Amino acid sequence: ARAQRRLRVLWITPLRALATDTEVNLNTALRQMQIPWLVEKRTGDTSSSLRQKQRESYPEVLITTPESLSLMLCNADLAERLSDLRCVVVDEWHELLGNKRGVQTELGLARLRRLRPVLRVWGLSATLGNLDEALATLLGSTTAQPVTLIASDLKKKYEIKSLIPAEIERFPWAGHLGTRMASEVAQLIAAAKSTLVFTNTRSQSEIWYQALLKVMPDFAGKMAVHHGSLDIELRRWVENELREGRLRCCVCTSSLDLGIDFSTVEHVVQIGSPKGNARLLQRAGRSGHQPKVPSRITFVPTNALELMELAAVRDALIAHRIESRH
C-alpha cells in the first residue's frame, strides 16, 4: 500500500526533461536488481492528482528540482516524513553551482542534514574545473560523514568541426541568427541518423526550426523543436521520439543539453557560440552516448568573430582546460 512507503532517496535535478530521463533509468535499474521501490517525480510538470498522493505519502525514490524541494521543506510533518531518508543525489551539480538555484539547493541540503545528520550526499558532474571547491560547497561545513572525491580518468573522444561559410568576406562581423547557413546545416542533418541542433534562446530555436523546414520540407514529421515554453505533452512526445530514433532532427535549447541519454543521436550542431568549454562538451556529449563511441559536434558561426571563439575552445580542450564554477 502507498501509505506504507517511506522516502529513502531524494534525487535533485536542474531540468524537468532530465527528471523524466532519470525516472526511466532508475526504474530500469531497480527492476534489474529486483528492488520493489516506487519512483516518482515532483517538478513543475507534476499533475495535481499525483501531488495530492505525495502529500499523503512519498515514494521510496523522489526526483525533484531545487524549487520543488523548497516547497517540500515547508511541510509541518517534514521531520517524521523524512525519518527514513538515507541519501540525496544532486545531479549535474555544475549547472547549479554558483547561481541562485545552487544557493537554494545548498539551503535545502543544510535543512535536510539538520533533520538527518547521517544523511549521505552525492554530487554528480561531468564538466567542472574546480572539483574541490564544488565538493566543499555541496557538503557544507557541518557534515558528519567522511568526504570522498571520485574522479574518472576515462578519456572521451570528441570530433569538433566548424562549418565555414562559402564566402567569408560577406559574412557579418557580429550579431545575426545564422540562418543563412540553413542549407549547409540541412546537408549535415541529412547525412546523420539523428541530429540535435542547439541554439542559445527559445526564439532562435523556433526561427531555426522554420528555416530548416523550409529548406527540407520532406522532413516534416521527422523534425521537432524543444524548449521550456512548450506544453509538457509536446515536450514528452519529442523526448520519446528521440529515444526511439524516430526523429531525424530536433532543434532545441539548453532544455536538452544535460545528461539526457539519447543513444540514437549521432551528431550535434551548435548554432552560435556555446559561451563556454563546459557547455560545448555537455552538448557534444549528447551524441555518441555510448562507450568508446566518439561524440561529434559541428559549430555553426552566426558571425565571423565566433570562428575565433571555436578556435579558443579547441585549444582549451586539447589542453584539458575546463572553466571553474565558483
Side-chain angles (χ1 to χ4, degrees):
R2 185 179 182 96
Q4 297 175 328
R5 297 187 181 276
R6 305 286 293 178
L7 183 62
R8 308 292 184 88
V9 177
L10 188 62
W11 193 290
I12 303 173
T13 176
L15 284 181
R16 289 175 291 182
L18 185 52
T20 300
D21 202 59
T22 300
E23 181 181 26
V24 173
N25 292 334
L26 288 178
N27 273 317
T28 300
L30 290 170
R31 188 165 53 250
Q32 292 174 348
M33 292 185 288
Q34 298 181 335
I35 300 176
W37 283 3
L38 178 64
V39 180
E40 290 179 350
K41 295 177 297 183
R42 186 182 180 91
T43 69
D45 290 338
T46 303
S47 65
S48 57
S49 59
L50 182 54
R51 286 174 184 271
Q52 183 59 43
K53 290 180 181 178
Q54 291 172 354
R55 289 190 188 99
E56 300 169 1
S57 173
Y58 288 135
E60 282 88 354
V61 182
L62 185 63
I63 305 165
T64 189
T65 59
E67 293 81 5
S68 293
L69 172 63
S70 295
L71 295 175
M72 285 173 52
L73 296 178
C74 296
N75 292 332
D77 58 346
L78 183 68
E80 194 278 328
R81 297 186 69 182
L82 298 184
S83 59
D84 288 322
L85 181 64
R86 302 178 185 175
C87 176
V88 176
V89 179
V90 183
D91 204 359
E92 305 292 350
W93 177 225
H94 66 274
E95 187 68 15
L96 296 171
L97 180 65
N99 59 38
K100 293 179 181 178
R101 300 181 76 211
V103 174
Q104 193 174 26
T105 304
E106 291 173 48
L107 291 170
L109 290 173
R111 176 72 172 137
L112 291 173
R113 279 194 292 267
R114 187 67 176 266
L115 295 170
R116 298 282 294 156
V118 296
L119 188 67
R120 178 167 292 185
V121 178
W122 288 84
L124 307 180
S125 176
T127 49
L128 262 176
N130 53 331
L131 291 176
D132 291 334
E133 183 180 359
L135 178 66
T137 306
L138 178 74
L139 298 181
S141 59
T142 60
T143 180
Q145 298 291 336
V147 176
T148 305
L149 178 63
I150 302 173
S152 170
D153 60 354
L154 294 177
K155 298 297 187 292
K156 176 70 175 178
K157 292 184 178 180
Y158 294 92
E159 295 178 5
I160 304 175
K161 298 181 179 180
S162 184
L163 201 59
I164 306 296
E167 298 180 8
I168 192 68
E169 295 84 1
R170 300 182 62 183
F171 208 56
W173 281 102
H176 295 271
L177 297 173
T179 51
R180 63 172 62 195
M181 304 282 283
S183 296
E184 291 87 343
V185 173
Q187 294 175 17
L188 296 176
I189 294 171
K193 181 179 179 181
S194 183
T195 301
L196 290 180
V197 178
F198 280 103
T199 64
N200 291 330
T201 65
R202 296 172 183 180
S203 60
Q204 190 181 24
S205 68
E206 296 281 358
I207 292 169
W208 261 93
Y209 172 75
Q210 295 297 334
L212 290 172
L213 201 57
K214 185 177 181 180
V215 173
M216 42 185 189
D218 54 317
F219 268 53
K222 303 175 187 176
M223 186 165 62
V225 64
H226 189 288
H227 56 70
S229 294
L230 296 176
D231 179 75
I232 177 177
E233 293 302 324
L234 178 56
R235 280 187 276 120
R236 286 178 176 172
W237 178 83
V238 172
E239 292 159 19
N240 186 63
E241 292 297 289
L242 280 170
R243 285 191 193 93
E244 298 299 325
R246 289 191 285 263
L247 283 181
R248 293 292 302 278
C249 172
C250 179
V251 186
C252 54
T253 62
S254 57
S255 59
L256 288 184
D257 74 357
L258 289 176
I260 301 174
D261 182 10
F262 299 128
S263 58
T264 58
V265 174
E266 291 183 343
H267 190 205
V268 168
V269 174
Q270 168 65 42
I271 307 296
S273 172
K275 307 300 180 185
N277 305 339
R279 173 153 287 181
L280 186 73
L281 287 181
Q282 281 285 343
R283 293 183 173 181
R286 297 314 102 219
S287 68
H289 207 81
Q290 302 173 53
K292 299 183 179 180
V293 176
S295 293
R296 297 171 52 224
I297 186 167
T298 299
F299 177 78
V300 179
T302 62
N303 59 67
L305 290 178
E306 285 184 338
L307 288 169
M308 297 173 63
E309 288 195 39
L310 179 72
V313 169
R314 290 171 65 98
D315 289 346
L317 295 183
I318 291 172
H320 302 291
R321 292 199 306 269
I322 298 177
E323 60 264 44
S324 299
R325 305 286 181 94
H326 297 290

